[in-house]
Structure formats: C-alpha cells, structure tokens
Amino acid sequence: QQQLVESGGGSVQAGGSLRLACVASGYTADNYCWGWFREAPGKTREGVALIYTNGGDKGTIHYGDSVKGRFTISQDNAENTLYLQMDNLKPEDTAMYYCATDPRRGPCMRAMQSPAAELAFWGQGTQVTVSS
C-alpha cells in the first residue's frame, strides 16, 4: 500500500506562481508513472502532467495542452517527492490538484487522456485558487 500526501496549494493572483509537492510513502520502486491531475467543480478530471518512472518509457514526460509552457513536473528520488512548478497561473487553473501513481503500464499509458484513467493510488488533494 502506498500513501501520497500533497501540499503547496493556496490562493494566488493571475500571473503568479505556486509549487506543489507530493510525498510518497510505502513501496514505490515498481511504480510505472507518477503524475498530477486536477478537478474543477462541474468538470471531469484532467491530466496536468505525468512522468514515467519505470520501464522503457522511463523519463518521458507528458503535459496537458492547457499547461504546456507554464507548468513543470519534476521528482526528487532521494526524497520520494514529486513536484509541480506552476508559473503564469490563470483563473482557469483553479481546481483541486491531486497526485497519483500506479505500478501498471496500461493505466499509466492512458492516464493523460480525458477523462484521466483510474490510477491505483491517489493523494487527498490540495486546492489551488487563482483570482483575476
């Protein structure tokens, strides 16, 4: 069993920046992917950024079209932490942000599709609110 704990959310004005962090505990060595997803009221869950952490796809990163060029995903393996640097934030970025991971390649390959595939392990989420 794995546990994911997100932090770093908050309220910011448009054009501002936030850095989210997700700390993983438990057995994570076999995870195939690790990513960030968001869900706004009345909208389906959206894939924000994903990094493949195992297998032949290791190191490959995907971003959602709406955040390309503004958000950056990174990981610190020593600290078992995933980050999401969010710059030039827009009001439409307002959502609950979740990190998720899965040891299975299939769900990982579908994870960025809309709606985002059901990965095995999820955090509790951290709220990001961007005001205009």
Side-chain angles (χ1 to χ4, degrees):
Q1 189 71 17
Q2 300 182 43
Q3 289 188 329
L4 304 174
V5 179
E6 303 97 334
S7 63
S11 297
V12 65
Q13 287 191 327
S17 298
L18 285 172
R19 189 192 194 201
L20 305 184
C22 172
V23 179
S25 60
Y27 186 74
T28 62
D30 288 342
N31 286 340
Y32 202 90
C33 68
W34 204 357
W36 290 97
F37 303 83
R38 67 187 182 187
E39 192 166 338
K43 295 186 178 180
T44 56
R45 187 178 299 165
E46 176 186 8
V48 176
L50 185 84
I51 183 168
Y52 293 114
T53 54
N54 225 324
D57 302 300
K58 186 175 180 179
T60 300
I61 292 174
H62 293 293
Y63 291 100
D65 288 340
S66 61
V67 306
K68 285 180 181 176
R70 300 188 298 122
F71 290 11
T72 304
I73 189 172
S74 63
Q75 63 179 127
D76 183 333
N77 291 326
E79 298 294 328
N80 241 7
T81 302
L82 185 73
Y83 297 100
L84 184 69
Q85 177 65 41
M86 305 187 294
D87 297 317
N88 191 21
L89 282 160
K90 303 176 180 181
E92 50 263 43
D93 295 318
T94 295
M96 184 72 79
Y97 284 70
Y98 301 89
C99 72
T101 189
D102 202 300
R104 304 166 296 172
R105 185 174 186 270
C108 284
M109 300 303 287
R110 298 188 296 271
M112 292 297 289
Q113 297 172 6
S114 177
E118 284 297 328
L119 301 181
F121 303 103
W122 291 81
Q124 83 290 347
T126 186
Q127 178 68 37
V128 171
T129 302
V130 185
S131 58
S132 57

